[in-house]
Amino acid sequence: MDKMQLFLPLVLGGPDMTKEPKNPFIANKPAHWRALNSPVRNAILQLLISSGPTTVPVIAEQLGRKPKSLYRHVDILLKAGLLVQTGVQPTGRRAAAEYGFQAPASPYSAG
C-alpha cells in the first residue's frame, strides 16, 4: 500500500482548502483510513483539534448528537491511534474520560 499524505484541514473540512496546513500528519496505516472514513469521526477530530481535549458528553453537545451514539466512533479513533485518553473529569455520579487528538508519528521523522 502506498503511503499518502493526508492534510487534516482538507480531510476534516478546514476553512482554507487551498493552502497546505502547517502541521500535516501521515495517515500511513489502514486503521487510519478506516477511522477517517466517517463524517462523524471527522467531526469529532475537527472538534478536538480546534477546542482541545474534552469528554464524550461535551462532544455530543457540540455536535448535536446523543453521547451514546459517539462511543463507538471514539473507540475506533482510539484503536486507530488518532485519539488518546488525556484525563478524567468528574461529572455528577461518575467520572467521564477526557479525549484528545494525537497525530500519528510520521515514519519519516527522526526519533
Side-chain angles (χ1 to χ4, degrees):
M1 173 185 288
D2 289 340
K3 292 182 176 128
M4 300 179 75
Q5 191 166 7
L6 252 189
F7 300 115
L8 282 177
L10 180 63
V11 171
L12 302 176
D16 189 349
M17 310 245 322
T18 61
K19 294 181 183 175
E20 185 173 314
K22 292 178 186 172
N23 298 312
F25 78 92
I26 307 295
N28 62 346
K29 295 180 181 177
H32 297 160
W33 289 102
R34 284 191 297 276
L36 293 170
N37 191 25
S38 161
V40 173
R41 291 190 289 273
N42 281 322
I44 291 168
L45 286 177
Q46 181 66 51
L47 179 66
L48 292 173
I49 289 166
S50 64
S51 301
T54 193
T55 63
V56 171
V58 173
I59 294 168
E61 182 180 323
Q62 294 290 318
L63 298 180
R65 301 180 67 96
K66 295 190 182 294
K68 208 174 198 179
S69 72
L70 297 180
Y71 286 103
R72 178 178 60 90
H73 294 288
V74 167
D75 189 49
I76 290 168
L77 291 167
L78 282 166
K79 287 179 181 174
L82 297 172
L83 289 187
V84 291
Q85 184 175 341
T86 59
V88 178
Q89 288 186 2
T91 57
R93 290 184 267 163
R94 299 186 200 185
E98 186 177 73
Y99 300 100
F101 171 71
Q102 172 178 288
S106 170
Y108 307 109
S109 63

